[in-house]
Amino acid sequence: MEQKCGCASFGNNFNKAKPYLLTVGLQFGFAGAYIFSVASLNRGMNRYVFVVYRNAIAALALAPFALIFERKIRPKITLPVFLQIMALGFVEPVIDQGFTFLGMQYTSASFASAIMNAVPSVTFVLAVILRLERVNVKEVRSLAKVIGTLVTFSGALLMTLYKGPEFHLFHSANTTHNQDGAHSPQLVKHWLSGTLFLLLGCVAWSSFFILQSITLKRYPAELSLSSLVCLSGVVQASVVAIIATRHSGLAAWALGWDFRLYGPLYTGIVTSGITYYAQGLVLQSRGPVFLTAFNPLCMVITCALGSFLFAEQLHLGSIIGAVIIALGLYSVVWGKGKDHSDPTPSSPTIKQTETQKLPISSSDI
């Protein structure tokens, strides 16, 4: 009897802890995506080719599950849905991932993971512009989202314009070399350009959320839609990659037993497959606000791994800006949480963008 009670108690405790364990595991998975992506690009893999391979692997990983689990609920693809899927494939895999990888090459994995915390705020702004979100400054929740958005953009602006002293979490042989040219005009120019590219990636990712919420109303089969978006992205990204690598020939498409293979495999299978399933479990049990609240943990893990593996330099401006962005994120998330719990929310449509996420947009890396 005591043994049965002990097992039951352990089971209850595990069920209570499972959302936390899964969410922390998700953040490690997302951080790994940044690290694997940077490692692949540093090994000379073309970023356009990386996008093609990553989404091809994601489509292959998701398609079997879509065919099995959604065979009875999958609607027919109409022309408007087809056009929206093509648009989703262009906005997310082609535009978003393309600009994000380019920005990451000019800055760092840790900087990119910090900037990406601005996505909820950018999504909120786009939703207001498209009248999917109503703002009433007399409501505390609306005021929290507005203030959070302004705080987030302030943090991003600080990270862009101010670098400050350098910090090194781990000593590396590459540290001195990196320090020597840290403030050269060319590197500063690249840093500003990289930040701009990352912000363009944020806008594209947020636009993807908006269009996704509209498409899911016409095609409410998440796995199938995810697979089709990845496939659409492969087709369109292949055209871009072929044009971009026309002078390099087949060498640009070569894979090897190194990060040129591990990066696409990891981001395609783990980020777009395993994490999608784990994210679904957390969303069902605790909701989108709980899941989003852990996003800054990915930034912390990425900073630590980037400093240890690649000798990435952390600057005071990046640290302060990242903290400000995280505070703005929590303000927006708190406001959205009030919308989620209120039976008469101020954002009846955009709530879909929180509860319905495609795997390729969960980490966007």
Side-chain angles (χ1 to χ4, degrees), residues 20 23 27 117 120 282 287-298 326 329-331 333-334 357:
Y20 294 91
T23 306
Q27 300 310 316
N117 279 320
V282 177
V289 175
F290 177 87
L291 182 66
T292 312
F294 283 77
N295 281 4
L297 179 60
C298 172
L329 166 70
Y330 281 123
S331 181
V333 167
W334 183 86
K357 288 187 179 182

Side-chain angles (χ1 to χ4, degrees), residues 87-107:
L88 286 168
F90 181 74
V91 170
E92 163 56 18
V94 178
I95 299 297
D96 176 20
Q97 293 179 25
F99 277 124
T100 300
F101 289 143
L102 180 58
M104 204 185 316
Q105 282 184 294
Y106 282 168
T107 55

